[in-house]
Amino acid sequence: MTRIATTLGLYPLPDDAKERLSDLKGHQKHDLVSGDEDPAIESTYDDVREELVGAQQDAGLDRVVEGQARWDDMLAHPLTVHENVEAGGIVRYYDNNNFYRDPVVQGDLDFSGDIAADLDAAADLTDDLQAVVPGPYSLADLATDEHYGDDEEFLAAVAEFLAGEVEAFPDAVETVFVLEPSLVTNPPGEGADERASEAIDEVARAADADVVAHSYWGALEEKVHAHLLDADVDAIGYDLVSNHDDNVYNVAEYGTKDSVALGVVDGQNTLVESPETIRERIDWFQDAVPGDFDDVYVTSNTELFYLPVNRFEEKLAALGQAVAPEVEA
Amino acid sequence: MSNRDQFRPEGHANDHFLLTTVVGSYPKPKWLDRAKDLWEDPDADFGDDEWAEATDDAARLITEEHERAGLDVVVDGEMRRNEMVEFFAHRIDGYEFNGPVKVWGHNYFDKPSVVSDVEYDESWLVDEYEFTASVAERPVKVPITGPYTLANWSFNEAYDDDEALAYDLADLVNEEIEKLVEAGARYIQIDEPALATTPDDHAIVGGCLERIADGIPEDVRIGLHVCYGDYSRIYPEILEFPVDEFDLELANGDYEQLDVFKDPDFTKDLALGVVDAHVAEVESVEQIEANIRKGLEVVPPERLTVSPDCGVKLLPREVAYEKMANLVTAARNVEADLDEGNIDVSAAAPADD
């Protein structure tokens, strides 16, 4: 078994970049990232990417993410910057005091290449690159469809779009995390649960890397979890911070993939877990479920952008330290 | 007797009285922002005394601006407050600050962390109230961020859950209100915008309000402001809350949610949002009169308060002022119409004699 320290990508901007970018871009809805930025803004994002990659390397993480500094709209970003998508009103991001621009899909979701371009830039900075993408079910859930006209067709279109984006990722990408919080917060019903799994499967098959389907803010309903097991992913991720009991129940009752991701660091609280606490949580999970795993991705349960920078960096360090001795052993 | 009558101005022109007020925040004068930059600049010759004088001047200016608009109950526009959670967290033991976090786009807030049991330290608002009351000729309302929002919009490192934290904070809010009442305050508004995020927690907000209202005299008017949410998820449960008045944002949604409050009957006073706090276009007097009449579908005139949807601090100052002035004119026009019997009051007052 290999423990792999990693995170879910979307990071807080360094404080100086917060100021610099808000000066360059402005505070209003129409000032946010469109995919067509001024060179001064682009070069700021290049600097931020380098800083965020460096922070992960300093922390000793085994997988390094691009940091998604450009993702003003959090997981909805790949759609809000798409040319056939209109940025609608500012809407609430799940049950948080955070908001994003509602992506209103008004035309075909053809290839964009936005995520691949950022990953290309990050590939020059690290050999341990991990991509993070919204899952098709969550991305469709975060968007408004005014083009496809049917939920089923829209989900299929979003899956096909994401598969196309993932296919364009650079070879340097070793792991792809597919984030599906909506599978927990807005669970798919009968029939839709199977389609959600098939959509994830389509995205996973497009990747030339290990794929982890991770959901958070609770545990999947049993049927949703059972369907997810049919998707051709290498690992499924479980949020042990928000609901360890139901997640362990799902794994004990239905099994899981050969590898797992465990959200053991709270992405939404400034209380920093010690490396010992992180190790205890992993051990607790492994004791509670049958079998052994090939890889255990040790991660925060959610994205980390909710945190102030100092605590964010301390959490990276704790994750790195929690895993380091095991790897060397 | 309702504790509302004490706010009716002497010599009020109409028999009917629709209480006009605001939610709280108001655009800061540009010079106050410049003064703040100086105060925060270690190289500038601008210390705490100068800053205190600047905030006093701004509070006086905005209080008088509210009076000039004709409002019956005024505030100082929250000139001394930076943000609705930060301001209080700085004054409560148990909080620490680690830096800004994202709300949306490049809008951040210094979200505090609760790192130990919260405790009452210095007074939060008594100085603010005493100053405003000393410069105001009209009664003064005190808006306070509610304990549920103070808990929910903080990182909780110290308590088992946000409910326990909210209840402890509610006890502190109660302590502060007691001090405000001692200083003469008679109108308190609890702001709970976080309830819109997590409407299922209305019972926790109710529990907080029980603690807040505990021991507060009946003649002190307590309102609750809730905005930007799906009210059907908290109504009618909120009618059980121990408050006199609900202050609701309804103009922004063009009164789509008004019917929510008709069944079952709205048994509290209604502070109705009649101008949009996030649209820079000034509503006409006629438009606002029509909005006020919507409120009369829910409560009779003697239980209707008229106010903007929410704090207006994001509007240009002249727009904010025009909205206040038109709101007052519209309220007085509707009062006159009521006096003349020109308005059918569908929500008749329950007989209590």
Side-chain angles (χ1 to χ4, degrees):
Chain A
M1 186 214 53
T2 313
R3 291 185 178 183
I4 299 170
T6 188
T7 59
L8 304 186
L10 234 162
Y11 284 169
L13 286 170
D15 287 333
D16 56 344
K18 284 188 178 94
E19 272 185 42
R20 200 156 136 216
L21 285 163
S22 81
D23 289 348
L24 287 168
K25 288 164 65 186
H27 290 87
Q28 300 306 312
K29 201 188 92 177
H30 59 262
D31 298 324
L32 300 183
V33 160
S34 64
D36 180 24
E37 277 33 78
D38 284 347
I41 296 172
E42 283 303 333
S43 84
T44 305
Y45 281 126
D46 290 341
D47 294 346
V48 170
R49 182 180 303 114
E50 214 171 314
E51 191 173 337
L52 295 177
V53 166
Q56 296 169 80
Q57 289 166 333
D58 290 348
L61 296 185
D62 302 305
R63 292 288 180 280
V64 170
V65 297
E66 190 266 337
Q68 298 174 335
R70 292 176 60 249
W71 291 35
D72 283 341
D73 301 294
M74 289 77 88
L75 288 184
H77 167 88
L79 284 186
T80 25
V81 296
H82 194 282
E83 61 177 1
N84 291 332
V85 175
E86 190 84 5
I90 300 287
V91 291
R92 190 176 292 284
Y93 187 61
Y94 295 100
D95 257 357
N96 300 295
N97 186 29
N98 296 101
F99 301 85
Y100 69 102
R101 291 174 298 176
D102 178 19
V104 183
V105 177
Q106 296 184 325
D108 283 347
L109 291 176
D110 44 18
F111 178 72
S112 147
D114 182 89
I115 313 175
D118 286 343
L119 290 169
D120 280 334
D124 295 337
L125 306 168
T126 173
D127 296 327
D128 306 308
L129 190 58
Q130 172 184 304
V132 182
V133 296
Y137 182 79
S138 297
L139 188 55
D141 185 41
L142 288 167
T144 301
D145 168 42
E146 288 188 356
H147 177 67
Y148 294 95
D150 170 74
D151 284 354
E152 212 170 307
E153 209 179 316
F154 183 51
L155 176 64
V158 171
E160 193 186 334
F161 162 71
L162 283 170
E165 299 305 296
V166 168
E167 209 168 347
F169 286 178
D171 293 340
V173 171
E174 291 189 22
T175 311
V176 180
F177 262 69
V178 178
L179 304 187
E180 284 285 23
S182 293
L183 281 182
V184 174
T185 62
N186 184 20
E190 187 74 34
D193 46 10
E194 192 176 348
R195 286 192 294 278
S197 170
E198 286 165 4
I200 293 167
D201 188 61
E202 181 173 355
V203 176
R205 277 187 283 112
D208 187 18
D210 289 338
V211 177
V212 184
H214 180 76
S215 48
Y216 43 98
W217 290 322
L220 297 173
E221 288 180 358
E222 290 180 46
K223 276 197 72 183
V224 176
H225 180 254
H227 277 294
L228 185 57
L229 291 175
D230 293 335
D232 188 16
V233 297
D234 298 281
I236 292 179
Y238 300 92
D239 176 355
L240 301 188
V241 173
S242 65
N243 188 342
H244 50 269
D245 288 334
D246 288 348
N247 274 307
V248 158
Y249 171 83
N250 276 343
V251 175
E253 198 70 13
Y254 296 90
T256 186
K257 298 286 180 180
D258 291 340
S259 297
V260 287
L262 302 178
V264 285
V265 164
D266 191 341
Q268 296 187 281
N269 196 330
T270 44
L271 184 66
V272 179
E273 297 82 357
S274 68
E276 294 72 37
T277 299
I278 294 171
R279 282 194 287 265
E280 279 166 22
R281 288 177 182 179
I282 304 165
D283 294 342
W284 175 86
F285 178 84
Q286 292 194 292
D287 289 345
V289 301
D292 206 0
F293 300 104
D294 292 345
D295 293 326
V296 175
Y297 294 91
V298 180
T299 180
S300 56
N301 62 331
T302 69
E303 315 99 308
L304 292 166
F305 80 92
Y306 304 97
L307 296 171
V309 171
N310 58 351
R311 295 294 181 256
F312 153 71
E313 287 174 345
E314 289 167 37
K315 296 224 177 200
L316 293 189
L319 280 165
Q321 285 164 27
V323 167
E326 295 269 339
V327 172
E328 283 158 14
Chain B
M1 192 183 86
S2 156
N3 60 25
R4 178 181 187 271
D5 296 338
Q6 61 187 312
F7 304 107
R8 182 187 172 105
E10 243 174 83
H12 186 64
N14 301 313
D15 289 339
H16 280 90
F17 172 56
L18 302 175
L19 200 170
T20 58
T21 186
V22 288
V23 174
S25 76
Y26 198 77
K28 293 193 167 80
K30 289 194 180 67
W31 56 259
L32 186 65
D33 291 331
R34 287 197 292 272
K36 191 178 180 207
D37 289 342
L38 284 173
W39 180 50
E40 288 171 349
D41 178 356
D43 299 331
D45 183 21
F46 197 94
D48 290 348
D49 289 349
E50 286 78 10
W51 174 242
E53 194 179 329
T55 48
D56 279 357
D57 286 348
R60 183 186 297 109
L61 180 78
I62 301 304
T63 303
E64 288 171 356
E65 196 156 310
H66 282 140
E67 290 183 328
R68 200 162 65 246
L71 293 164
D72 301 308
V73 172
V74 300
V75 301
D76 72 350
E78 302 180 2
M79 290 298 117
R80 301 162 202 277
R81 309 188 196 178
N82 43 356
E83 197 277 340
M84 65 181 302
V85 173
E86 277 175 60
F87 176 86
F88 295 93
H90 275 295
R91 286 159 179 77
I92 300 172
D93 273 358
Y95 273 97
E96 75 172 28
F97 288 85
N98 286 294
V101 300
K102 171 170 166 164
V103 179
W104 68 276
H106 289 289
N107 298 281
Y108 302 93
F109 116 87
D110 220 349
K111 184 173 176 177
S113 301
V114 175
V115 295
S116 61
D117 285 2
V118 292
E119 281 174 38
Y120 194 91
D121 181 17
E122 55 184 314
S123 147
W124 313 342
L125 297 168
V126 171
D127 289 351
E128 176 194 286
Y129 169 77
E130 285 180 336
F131 181 86
T132 310
S134 75
V135 298
E137 288 171 12
R138 300 273 171 115
V140 171
K141 176 162 86 173
V142 185
I144 302 184
T145 303
Y148 181 75
T149 298
L150 287 175
N152 209 253
W153 290 2
S154 306
F155 295 110
N156 174 11
E157 298 190 17
Y159 285 77
D160 286 344
D161 53 42
D162 286 359
E163 182 175 355
L165 171 59
Y167 289 156
D168 267 13
L169 286 163
D171 289 337
L172 308 191
V173 172
N174 171 265
E175 193 169 343
E176 178 67 14
I177 293 176
E178 281 175 356
K179 289 190 165 57
L180 285 163
V181 168
E182 209 171 296
R186 288 294 176 271
Y187 198 159
I188 308 286
Q189 174 187 287
I190 311 294
D191 296 329
E192 287 287 17
L195 182 54
T197 330
T198 40
D200 297 340
D201 280 353
H202 56 73
I204 300 175
V205 174
C208 287
L209 288 164
E210 295 289 347
R211 287 167 165 78
I212 288 172
D214 185 41
I216 305 298
E218 298 248 314
D219 66 334
V220 175
R221 185 173 182 77
I222 298 182
L224 178 72
H225 172 67
V226 184
C227 53
Y228 301 100
D230 177 357
Y231 291 128
S232 69
R233 291 175 65 183
I234 58 173
Y235 192 84
E237 288 83 356
I238 58 171
L239 293 175
E240 301 297 320
F241 292 177
V243 300
D244 301 295
E245 175 181 84
F246 287 103
D247 187 289
L248 305 172
E249 158 265 327
L250 284 164
N252 174 59
D254 206 17
Y255 300 93
E256 253 181 26
Q257 296 198 67
L258 189 73
D259 287 348
V260 168
F261 303 103
K262 293 180 180 172
D263 184 25
D265 284 347
F266 198 85
T267 52
K268 303 284 186 178
D269 291 5
L270 170 65
L272 180 76
V274 297
V275 296
D276 196 322
H278 292 106
V279 173
E281 191 181 320
V282 179
E283 293 86 347
S284 69
V285 171
E286 294 71 29
Q287 177 62 54
I288 300 171
E289 285 177 30
N291 293 349
I292 294 172
R293 283 194 291 266
K294 298 256 192 222
L296 295 173
E297 295 173 20
V298 177
V299 291
E302 58 275 20
R303 289 205 274 122
L304 184 63
T305 298
V306 177
S307 85
D309 264 354
C310 197
V312 294
K313 72 174 178 186
L314 295 176
L315 293 172
R317 187 166 144 204
E318 59 280 8
V319 171
Y321 177 77
E322 290 296 327
K323 287 193 186 225
M324 305 306 106
N326 283 2
L327 175 155
V328 172
T329 306
R332 302 291 98 101
N333 290 351
V334 173
E335 288 169 355
D337 279 350
L338 284 164
D339 285 0
E340 287 167 23
N342 292 339
I343 296 176
D344 173 36
V345 181
S346 54
D352 57 1
D353 51 351

